[in-house]
Amino acid sequence: MQATYLEAIRQGLQEEMERDPSVFLLGEDIGVYGGAFKVTAGLLDRFGPERVVDTPISESAIVGAAIGASYAGMRPVAEIQFADFITCGFDQIVNFAAKCRYRWGAPAPLVVRAPSGGGIHGGPFHSQNPEAWFVHTPGLKVVQPATAYDAKGLLKAAIRDNDPVIFFEHKALYRKVKGEIPAGDYTVPLGKAKVFREGRDISVITYGAMVHVADEAADILAKDGISLEIVDLRTLLPIDEETILASVKKTSKAIVLHEATLTGGIGGEISARITEKAFEWLDGPVVRLAAPDTPVPYSPTLEEAFLPNAMKLVEKARALARY
Amino acid sequence: MQATYLEAIRQGLQEEMERDPSVFLLGEDIGVYGGAFKVTAGLLDRFGPERVVDTPISESAIVGAAIGASYAGMRPVAEIQFADFITCGFDQIVNFAAKCRYRWGAPAPLVVRAPSGGGIHGGPFHSQNPEAWFVHTPGLKVVQPATAYDAKGLLKAAIRDNDPVIFFEHKALYRKVKGEIPAGDYTVPLGKAKVFREGRDISVITYGAMVHVADEAADILAKDGISLEIVDLRTLLPIDEETILASVKKTSKAIVLHEATLTGGIGGEISARITEKAFEWLDGPVVRLAAPDTPVPYSPTLEEAFLPNAMKLVEKARALARY
Amino acid sequence: MTAVANSTLLAPQEQAEAGLWRRMLHYLFLQREVEERLERRLYRQGKILGGVYVGRGQEAICVGSGLAAEPDDFLYPCHRDLGLYFVRGIHPRQVFAQYMGRVGGLTRGRDGNMHMGDLGHRIVAIISAMAASIPVAAGTAMALKFQRSRNIVFNYFGDGATSRGDWHEGINLASVQKTPLVLICNNNQYAYSTPLDKQMACAHVVDRAPGYGIPSEIVDGNDCVAVHEAALRAAGHARMGLGPYMIECKTFRMTGHSAHDGADYVPKHLWNEWAEKDPVIRMERRLLDRCYASRGDIDELYAGIRAEVDEAIAWAEASPYPDPSTLEQGVYEESR
Amino acid sequence: MTAVANSTLLAPQEQAEAGLWRRMLHYLFLQREVEERLERRLYRQGKILGGVYVGRGQEAICVGSGLAAEPDDFLYPCHRDLGLYFVRGIHPRQVFAQYMGRVGGLTRGRDGNMHMGDLGHRIVAIISAMAASIPVAAGTAMALKFQRSRNIVFNYFGDGATSRGDWHEGINLASVQKTPLVLICNNNQYAYSTPLDKQMACAHVVDRAPGYGIPSEIVDGNDCVAVHEAALRAAGHARMGLGPYMIECKTFRMTGHSAHDGADYVPKHLWNEWAEKDPVIRMERRLLDRCYASRGDIDELYAGIRAEVDEAIAWAEASPYPDPSTLEQGVYEESR
Ligand SMILES: Cc1ncc(C[n+]2csc(CCOP(=O)(O)OP(=O)(O)O)c2C)c(N)n1
Ligand SMILES: Cc1ncc(C[n+]2csc(CCOP(=O)(O)OP(=O)(O)O)c2C)c(N)n1
Ligand SMILES: [Mg+2]
Ligand SMILES: [Mg+2]
């Protein structure tokens, strides 16, 4: 069955709620309204107000309550209306949820869903990609699917996982990306990257919406005889070093691509790991392509200049190929 | 005149308050009590309760109020009692302060001081090194001094700077590190790293308390005939790429060292930049030494195992030297 | 309003009142008209790409209180307080350009919609996070107090924003420090789709004021004059050094949360009930009842505003998009 | 207390009361003694390397309310509520080992001092950030409600914690959701060095309860029986499905903020005034007055506790430090 990225997520939520009565949702406007992006549309009718909880505008309480409910045996899935507002619940995520298992053996099996990313003219506060903060927080898992199939499979795996998972959904993909979804239950394991497209010359390590950008660039570059291999990380923490290194050892060249701003983004982490562990295989520097170090601008001309795209990647890849 | 790191900071505050009536301090227990670490001791008596403001336990309001006061022409210096609690004011820092100049041309010249770092048996919530989150936030400047001289000079520069500066003070250095401080007014420019120790064989790029760890390691390694060059970043954002690259081009080998946990730490960023921009000078992979990806543990045995130290660096350096 | 039928017949105090009320109507209608164009024309024509949030039905709150502010008081509008900008002298051109992402907008295309401010005019731009402005406004008020300024700060927020931690922290700090802060809540009974009873378990937002030891009052938020008077009381309190003061304006959002929202979750009867309390019409009636303006005056006023708005839209559409090469400018002072 | 002079002479209800009161004294003194050793001996001997925060003078709050909780109710202590752990059956050995960073501690050396919990005992560990537990407790309470459990949640916090955004967000969510949450404030009049008037502009913490539509009461926090009764009322309210209930316990912190703090900022006279209200002595007096215990019984009780504590310290000191090779274990389920 074909489903959009958004429908895949909704299916994932619904099936997990059917499968396990301890799964419930909480967040702003997720019930009656069905969520700002309508991801949870219909779930209130199906499961009632105790399993689809409309909350006040209280991100810290949303995350905190999810932690507390998990201590009572629930499996909460919290929605942050836009990933940009995750900063309002930051302490609960990075200090409470992330550290409780390590400190006193109290797992907090919860999922925080957050629509992230730009390309919808949302401006500085409806477009951010804040994943790197969480990747730097031991105790969390961080996920960002690129396809409908993965969106559903990873979400189900995240809900069943016994650690807190921050699940970024790229909002520009919600309705743009469609894919075949198997009829039955399936999960996509956390912590495993996927070779999205095989290639010979350059590995592009990326995730989320940028997987499709890389794919577009790969089509263009194929005509030049440059063959990109695209590694879709899927899970950003823990990082699947094995798949990354296997690809880079094969191609000997790597570009790390992300939509988040460059400095301190997870591109640095991946580049560093590649250099540390595959230095002798490298036929050129590991190159990064990311958004520049600015807030996400609103105006279409600026946003276009801000976001990485296929042509920017093509340029980087051509230069690297010549190296 | 000799001064400890802590005294140097206090001098910096006092002199700036004397120089500029718009400079004022706000934070928890900074007035009557003089601050949890006594950094602000004596300043209430000297400047009165409108310039040394004891606040409720409200990190978000502390940072927010600093922003708002800056709009009215003040130069606020906010203290977060422990850097670990900066998460409670996170949104104000990364979304309000960091973005206002870019968005609507409203500079927020404020300083957020925060004692960070471990080694005092403070456990998971009194020992963290959260700088990488802020380094991934365009619009902020991030500073962490390693010496008494720099602590004072950087703090004064931060207070005079017209952008928001997050100023991490390594709490283990407060009373441990002493240095000569010139009598008159001086500043240390933001954005400029310093070669803390010259050497030939390996560049250690580091900052904060780890500068001293590197120095200790350098003494040990000198006996083996391995000469470390230590680059003290001092400002973490913007990163002084020039000084880093100059050192690495000289030594051809680099270790990035930080006390913060490894994954997603700023070591990745620095490693990536070195590889991107000095690949052809490298005679070995850029190596990172950092704390492992766990919360900061309390027990002495665990904390010791957690923190990078001279012997761990010596080992890394020896291996890299052999490369 | 170029001429008024009977202005020469009024006593001095009435003249002042008439002048004020006419200005009220002017700004009420200006906000109404600008937002009408933004939400129902430009947005639907695809000329505005981001979100459009308007204050339809709530204009009396920002206009009535904005006219109670002194020119050097700081204003911290929330996302439905467009009228404040006009009261402060921001031109509709800049607002349309702002929404369309043009360089002529207050943020020169960097940010969109109501995320605009101008320190020169002492209007501080919101960020999206609800209630984040409150601690910031508290800080401005604290600074003004330390500076022995007579100026004060007006901070605006919705009912939904009161659930946020920042709301609490900001008001608490402001009240402990006895800062000159006027807190104005537009209680429009919804936060996006969420009705009051899912947001708070108390009857009124001002039920929280005693928890900060600050005085408060409830006012009919659709009555511009009533709001104005309350704001004057609040401002007087704050200006005298007595600390924050909270006003809760009962009102209703006569549209969806934003331009894309049909607001099906609002019970139908509420639309009609609240349409009868329309603040623009009520202001018209006040003026007419007291003979401070004739129907003709009002029509003339509206025609003038419509023309101004037409021109402003044309101006904004002629304003260019920002040059992409400026993208990285202005993140820091050095990167100008 | 092995034997009680006249217990056979008591009516059944008095017997129950006598039993309860003796348990109260037991836990009051146990907390006092353990904390005495922690703060004034082990810390000063350099055997505890991190911070030591104790509840001296405030023990009646956690003991009185803890004894009102049912065994499967969730407890969310704050950093001065050691008595709760004992009431729940945690052994002093584990507490000493915790403070000394030994594997025998509740967190096995991963965390220190009062940062301890045990899901098996339904005690949730605080994190340092004040008030962060409140939204979490609200979530537990929400879950218990959804599960149709008869159990409820007790959440503890200090006066200082009430300034945090999390305090507001957590209580608001709990009240909107009508969750079974008992909120217990120990108002000891200081947050670290900061007196109440720099923390809040209202007279009492419970002045904020109406803002959440929840009932509240003020109680003498140094009277264990009074606290117990208030906690029973609150618990009854919550267990009946009527939502949160707030108790403000007026008390005083009879020591510095932590072991290193001499608390010079506290006016001298307050120490004497509050020493007279010492909750341990008051509990002794209650028992003696009603002949529920003799002085000899009490001395015997104390001697027993002291011996238990001596043994617990020895046990804790014999407990090893964690093996550094375990450092990276337990960050995730997979990394056990
Ligand atoms: C912290 C945060 N969470 C969520 C949102 C998304 N959001 C934007 S406006 C809004 C509702 C605001 O309600 P209210 O404060 O009552 O203002 P109104 O829109 O009704 O005027 C929400 C949930 C946000 N802007 N900030
Ligand atoms: C968010 C946060 N900021 C600062 C601190 C540092 N701190 C620890 S305890 C404390 C005072 C707490 O006061 P109160 O809540 O009244 O509890 P008490 O210690 O008086 O029992 C402070 C400021 C903290 N733990 N958390
Ligand atoms: Mg509203
Ligand atoms: Mg207290």
Side-chain angles (χ1 to χ4, degrees):
Chain A
M1 160 195 50
Q2 285 276 315
T4 62
Y5 186 90
L6 185 151
E7 288 158 356
I9 293 167
R10 187 188 299 141
Q11 284 175 22
L13 291 172
Q14 181 171 324
E15 291 176 19
E16 290 306 295
M17 291 176 81
E18 276 159 2
R19 189 186 58 79
D20 179 353
S22 67
V23 177
F24 79 105
L25 316 182
L26 72 170
E28 296 155 17
D29 307 294
I30 64 168
V32 173
Y33 193 64
F37 292 95
K38 302 290 181 191
V39 173
T40 53
L43 300 181
L44 174 69
D45 286 346
R46 200 171 189 107
F47 297 104
E50 293 195 348
R51 296 192 64 198
V52 183
V53 181
D54 272 325
T55 66
I57 305 176
S58 308
E59 283 73 11
S60 194
I62 290 169
V63 177
I67 299 168
S70 82
Y71 289 159
M74 307 294 282
R75 290 195 169 262
V77 182
E79 177 176 300
I80 302 294
Q81 200 163 79
F82 284 84
D84 311 66
F85 307 136
I86 206 163
T87 49
C88 300
F90 200 70
D91 183 61
Q92 289 287 347
I93 295 176
V94 304
N95 279 329
F96 217 122
K99 297 180 175 45
C100 53
R101 176 190 288 280
Y102 186 78
R103 291 170 55 234
W104 60 289
L110 59 95
V111 178
V112 177
R113 294 179 40 244
S116 62
I120 60 148
H121 312 295
F125 303 111
H126 290 75
S127 310
Q128 293 176 71
N129 290 286
E131 61 273 10
W133 294 331
F134 303 101
V135 168
H136 187 48
T137 306
L140 300 179
K141 293 179 180 175
V142 183
V143 171
Q144 184 167 152
T147 66
Y149 179 89
D150 284 348
K152 179 168 174 180
L154 287 167
L155 180 60
K156 286 173 151 251
I159 293 173
R160 298 180 198 181
D161 196 88
N162 288 326
D163 285 301
V165 181
I166 314 298
F167 193 89
F168 290 108
E169 302 169 2
H170 199 295
K171 65 176 84 71
L173 301 184
Y174 272 146
R175 291 178 169 84
K176 202 163 80 184
V177 161
K178 244 195 157 96
E180 193 58 33
I181 304 270
D185 178 47
Y186 72 97
T187 59
V188 172
L190 304 189
K192 296 266 170 262
K194 174 173 77 178
V195 176
F196 181 85
R197 174 173 178 144
E198 299 219 22
R200 282 182 326 270
D201 300 326
I202 297 176
S203 299
V204 177
I205 320 295
T206 189
Y207 56 94
M210 291 298 115
V211 170
H212 306 285
V213 163
D215 200 35
E216 209 185 316
D219 287 342
I220 298 168
L221 288 162
K223 292 174 199 147
D224 300 4
I226 299 173
S227 159
L228 290 194
E229 170 145 313
I230 301 172
V231 176
D232 175 3
L233 290 172
R234 304 199 290 195
T235 298
L236 311 181
L237 186 71
I239 299 177
D240 180 1
E241 214 175 78
E242 211 179 311
T243 304
I244 297 171
L245 294 178
S247 176
V248 174
K249 287 181 181 176
K250 181 173 113 179
T251 62
S252 300
K253 288 184 175 171
I255 299 176
V256 192
L257 166 66
H258 56 65
E259 188 185 307
T261 53
L262 182 75
T263 298
I266 71 174
E269 179 64 33
I270 291 164
S271 168
R273 292 202 188 196
I274 293 172
T275 313
E276 267 165 26
K277 304 200 176 155
F279 187 68
E280 287 161 31
W281 281 265
L282 285 178
D283 285 343
V286 180
V287 168
R288 290 180 298 165
L289 175 58
D293 292 328
T294 75
V296 188
Y298 166 64
S299 189
T301 51
L302 295 176
E303 193 182 18
E304 199 190 311
F306 174 86
L307 292 173
N309 60 30
M311 278 322 296
K312 293 176 192 172
L313 178 56
V314 164
E315 263 175 57
K316 287 267 184 198
R318 282 189 182 138
L320 185 59
R322 279 194 303 271
Y323 189 92
Chain B
M1 161 195 49
Q2 285 275 315
T4 62
Y5 186 89
L6 185 149
E7 287 158 354
I9 293 167
R10 187 189 298 143
Q11 284 175 22
L13 292 172
Q14 182 171 322
E15 290 176 19
E16 290 305 295
M17 291 175 83
E18 276 159 3
R19 190 187 58 79
D20 179 353
S22 67
V23 177
F24 79 104
L25 316 183
L26 72 170
E28 295 154 17
D29 307 294
I30 64 167
V32 175
Y33 193 63
F37 293 95
K38 302 288 179 190
V39 173
T40 53
L43 300 182
L44 174 68
D45 285 346
R46 200 170 190 106
F47 297 103
E50 293 195 348
R51 296 190 66 199
V52 183
V53 181
D54 272 324
T55 68
I57 305 176
S58 306
E59 282 72 11
S60 194
I62 291 168
V63 177
I67 299 168
S70 82
Y71 290 159
M74 307 293 283
R75 291 196 169 261
V77 182
E79 176 176 302
I80 302 293
Q81 199 163 79
F82 285 82
D84 311 66
F85 307 136
I86 205 164
T87 50
C88 299
F90 200 70
D91 183 61
Q92 290 287 348
I93 296 176
V94 304
N95 280 329
F96 218 121
K99 297 180 175 48
C100 53
R101 176 189 289 278
Y102 186 79
R103 293 170 52 232
W104 60 290
L110 59 94
V111 177
V112 177
R113 293 179 42 242
S116 62
I120 60 147
H121 312 295
F125 303 111
H126 289 74
S127 310
Q128 293 178 68
N129 290 286
E131 60 272 11
W133 293 331
F134 303 99
V135 168
H136 187 49
T137 306
L140 299 179
K141 293 179 179 174
V142 183
V143 171
Q144 184 167 151
T147 65
Y149 178 88
D150 284 349
K152 180 169 174 181
L154 287 167
L155 180 59
K156 285 172 152 252
I159 292 172
R160 298 179 198 182
D161 198 88
N162 288 324
D163 284 301
V165 180
I166 314 298
F167 193 89
F168 290 108
E169 302 168 2
H170 198 295
K171 67 176 83 71
L173 301 184
Y174 272 145
R175 293 179 168 82
K176 202 164 78 184
V177 161
K178 243 194 160 95
E180 192 58 32
I181 305 269
D185 179 46
Y186 72 97
T187 60
V188 172
L190 303 189
K192 297 267 169 259
K194 173 174 76 178
V195 176
F196 181 85
R197 175 175 179 142
E198 298 219 24
R200 282 181 327 270
D201 300 327
I202 298 176
S203 299
V204 177
I205 321 294
T206 189
Y207 55 94
M210 291 298 115
V211 170
H212 305 285
V213 163
D215 200 36
E216 206 186 318
D219 287 342
I220 299 170
L221 288 162
K223 294 174 199 145
D224 300 4
I226 299 172
S227 158
L228 290 195
E229 170 145 314
I230 301 173
V231 175
D232 175 3
L233 291 173
R234 305 198 292 192
T235 298
L236 311 180
L237 186 70
I239 299 177
D240 180 1
E241 214 174 78
E242 211 179 310
T243 305
I244 297 172
L245 294 178
S247 175
V248 174
K249 286 180 182 177
K250 180 173 115 181
T251 62
S252 301
K253 288 183 174 172
I255 299 177
V256 192
L257 166 66
H258 57 65
E259 188 185 307
T261 54
L262 182 75
T263 297
I266 71 174
E269 179 63 34
I270 291 163
S271 168
R273 291 200 187 198
I274 293 172
T275 313
E276 265 164 27
K277 302 195 177 160
F279 188 67
E280 288 161 29
W281 281 266
L282 285 178
D283 286 343
V286 181
V287 168
R288 290 180 297 164
L289 174 58
D293 292 329
T294 74
V296 188
Y298 166 65
S299 189
T301 51
L302 295 176
E303 193 183 18
E304 199 191 312
F306 174 86
L307 292 173
N309 60 29
M311 279 321 298
K312 293 176 193 173
L313 178 57
V314 164
E315 263 175 56
K316 287 266 183 199
R318 282 188 181 139
L320 184 59
R322 280 194 302 269
Y323 189 92
Chain C
M1 215 165 298
T2 46
V4 173
N6 51 358
S7 65
T8 50
L9 304 177
L10 299 173
Q13 218 187 316
E14 283 177 320
Q15 272 195 20
E17 188 175 70
L20 176 67
W21 288 14
R22 285 178 216 133
R23 289 175 69 209
M24 285 178 177
L25 185 64
H26 175 93
Y27 290 118
L28 288 170
F29 188 77
L30 179 57
Q31 177 174 359
R32 176 69 55 91
E33 185 64 21
V34 168
E35 292 190 337
E36 187 77 23
R37 307 292 186 99
L38 288 170
E39 190 192 31
R40 301 204 169 150
R41 299 224 205 141
L42 297 165
Y43 179 80
R44 292 183 191 170
Q45 291 163 7
K47 289 182 177 166
I48 297 172
L49 299 169
V52 174
Y53 311 87
V54 302
R56 186 174 298 111
Q58 313 182 181
E59 298 91 342
I61 298 166
C62 55
V63 171
S65 58
L67 288 171
E70 295 188 0
D72 284 340
D73 291 341
F74 275 87
L75 305 180
Y76 279 80
C78 79
H79 55 287
R80 304 199 194 276
D81 297 316
L82 184 61
L84 281 182
Y85 294 79
F86 298 138
V87 168
R88 266 294 154 86
I90 306 291
H91 197 280
R93 287 170 171 178
Q94 295 170 282
V95 172
F96 286 112
Q98 165 78 9
Y99 271 83
M100 292 192 248
R102 310 303 173 102
V103 289
L106 270 185
T107 65
R108 299 173 300 129
R110 263 84 188 289
D111 206 337
N113 57 60
M114 292 292 293
H115 292 171
M116 57 186 173
D118 182 343
L119 270 191
H121 285 86
R122 296 207 155 184
I123 304 191
V124 176
I126 46 168
I127 67 169
S128 273
M130 290 293 115
S133 281
I134 297 178
V136 182
T140 301
M142 202 159 85
L144 293 173
K145 180 182 170 188
F146 296 169
Q147 294 163 351
R148 308 288 180 267
S149 167
R150 77 166 264 110
N151 288 115
I152 64 172
V153 180
F154 287 73
N155 183 286
Y156 295 79
F157 53 85
D159 45 289
T162 67
S163 303
R164 282 243 22 252
D166 273 12
W167 187 85
H168 173 67
E169 290 196 7
I171 298 181
N172 187 51
L173 176 63
S175 65
V176 166
Q177 286 289 327
K178 268 206 173 210
T179 61
L181 180 62
V182 174
L183 296 157
I184 301 182
C185 178
N186 84 71
N187 183 344
N188 63 11
Q189 308 177 53
Y190 279 91
Y192 206 151
S193 73
T194 306
L196 282 179
D197 66 339
K198 293 244 178 76
Q199 299 178 54
M200 57 182 75
C202 54
H204 308 290
V205 169
V206 291
D207 292 345
R208 292 181 177 168
Y212 308 102
I214 62 180
S216 67
E217 62 181 281
I218 292 176
V219 68
D220 177 348
N222 286 28
D223 180 344
C224 196
V225 174
V227 170
H228 183 72
E229 285 164 1
L232 285 175
R233 281 188 292 276
H237 178 91
R239 235 182 276 285
M240 275 194 301
L242 301 174
Y245 189 109
M246 192 185 295
I247 301 172
E248 176 174 3
C249 305
K250 302 284 192 187
T251 188
F252 198 72
R253 190 191 71 201
M254 292 299 287
T255 180
H257 169 65
S258 76
H260 71 268
D261 170 20
D264 300 335
Y265 47 82
V266 173
K268 295 280 165 298
H269 67 96
L270 288 175
W271 300 116
N272 301 330
E273 278 168 43
W274 283 90
E276 308 210 333
K277 303 182 193 157
D278 186 281
V280 179
I281 296 173
R282 277 167 78 180
M283 200 69 229
E284 284 183 9
R285 259 194 232 125
R286 272 189 189 268
L287 282 159
L288 294 169
D289 285 356
R290 293 275 275 275
C291 298
Y292 286 169
S294 68
R295 189 70 246 174
D297 293 332
I298 291 174
D299 290 343
E300 197 181 315
L301 170 77
Y302 289 179
I305 286 173
R306 284 199 190 96
E308 186 190 353
V309 166
D310 288 337
E311 187 278 337
I313 292 173
W315 185 92
E317 291 197 75
S319 174
Y321 285 112
D323 179 343
S325 74
T326 63
L327 171 65
E328 298 189 48
Q329 289 170 12
V331 180
Y332 298 97
E333 187 178 32
E334 297 79 9
S335 57
R336 286 214 160 270
Chain D
M1 214 165 301
T2 46
V4 173
N6 52 357
S7 66
T8 49
L9 303 177
L10 299 173
Q13 219 186 317
E14 285 177 318
Q15 271 195 21
E17 188 174 71
L20 176 66
W21 289 14
R22 285 178 217 134
R23 289 175 69 211
M24 286 178 179
L25 185 64
H26 175 94
Y27 290 118
L28 288 171
F29 189 78
L30 179 57
Q31 177 174 359
R32 176 70 55 91
E33 184 65 21
V34 168
E35 293 190 337
E36 187 77 22
R37 307 292 186 102
L38 287 170
E39 191 192 30
R40 301 202 168 152
R41 300 226 205 138
L42 297 167
Y43 179 79
R44 293 181 190 173
Q45 292 164 6
K47 290 184 175 165
I48 296 171
L49 299 169
V52 174
Y53 311 87
V54 302
R56 185 174 302 109
Q58 313 182 180
E59 299 91 342
I61 298 167
C62 55
V63 170
S65 59
L67 288 171
E70 295 188 0
D72 285 338
D73 291 342
F74 275 87
L75 306 180
Y76 280 79
C78 77
H79 55 288
R80 304 201 194 276
D81 297 316
L82 184 61
L84 281 181
Y85 293 80
F86 298 139
V87 168
R88 265 294 154 85
I90 307 289
H91 197 279
R93 288 170 170 179
Q94 295 170 282
V95 172
F96 286 113
Q98 166 76 9
Y99 271 83
M100 291 193 249
R102 310 302 174 103
V103 289
L106 269 185
T107 66
R108 299 173 300 130
R110 262 85 189 289
D111 207 337
N113 57 58
M114 291 293 292
H115 293 171
M116 56 186 175
D118 183 343
L119 270 190
H121 285 85
R122 296 206 156 185
I123 303 191
V124 175
I126 45 168
I127 67 170
S128 273
M130 290 294 113
S133 280
I134 296 180
V136 182
T140 302
M142 201 160 86
L144 293 173
K145 179 182 170 186
F146 296 168
Q147 292 163 351
R148 309 286 180 268
S149 167
R150 78 167 263 109
N151 288 115
I152 65 173
V153 179
F154 288 72
N155 183 286
Y156 295 78
F157 53 86
D159 45 291
T162 66
S163 302
R164 281 238 31 247
D166 273 12
W167 186 84
H168 173 68
E169 291 197 6
I171 297 181
N172 187 51
L173 177 63
S175 66
V176 167
Q177 286 288 330
K178 269 207 172 205
T179 61
L181 180 63
V182 175
L183 295 157
I184 301 181
C185 177
N186 84 70
N187 183 345
N188 63 10
Q189 308 178 55
Y190 279 92
Y192 207 150
S193 73
T194 307
L196 282 179
D197 66 340
K198 293 245 178 75
Q199 300 179 52
M200 56 180 76
C202 55
H204 308 288
V205 169
V206 291
D207 291 345
R208 293 184 174 163
Y212 307 101
I214 61 181
S216 68
E217 62 182 281
I218 292 175
V219 68
D220 177 348
N222 286 27
D223 180 345
C224 195
V225 174
V227 171
H228 182 72
E229 284 164 2
L232 285 175
R233 282 188 291 277
H237 178 90
R239 233 182 279 284
M240 273 193 301
L242 301 175
Y245 189 110
M246 192 186 295
I247 302 172
E248 176 176 1
C249 306
K250 301 284 191 187
T251 187
F252 198 74
R253 191 191 72 199
M254 293 298 288
T255 178
H257 169 65
S258 76
H260 71 271
D261 170 20
D264 300 334
Y265 47 81
V266 173
K268 296 280 167 299
H269 68 95
L270 287 174
W271 300 117
N272 299 330
E273 277 168 45
W274 283 91
E276 307 211 332
K277 302 181 192 159
D278 185 281
V280 178
I281 296 174
R282 277 169 77 181
M283 199 69 229
E284 283 184 9
R285 263 195 231 121
R286 272 191 187 269
L287 281 159
L288 293 169
D289 285 355
R290 293 276 276 273
C291 298
Y292 286 169
S294 67
R295 190 69 246 175
D297 293 332
I298 291 174
D299 290 343
E300 197 181 316
L301 169 76
Y302 289 178
I305 286 173
R306 285 199 190 95
E308 187 189 352
V309 166
D310 288 338
E311 186 279 336
I313 292 173
W315 185 92
E317 291 198 76
S319 174
Y321 284 113
D323 179 342
S325 75
T326 63
L327 171 65
E328 298 190 47
Q329 289 171 12
V331 180
Y332 298 98
E333 187 177 33
E334 297 80 8
S335 56
R336 283 210 164 277

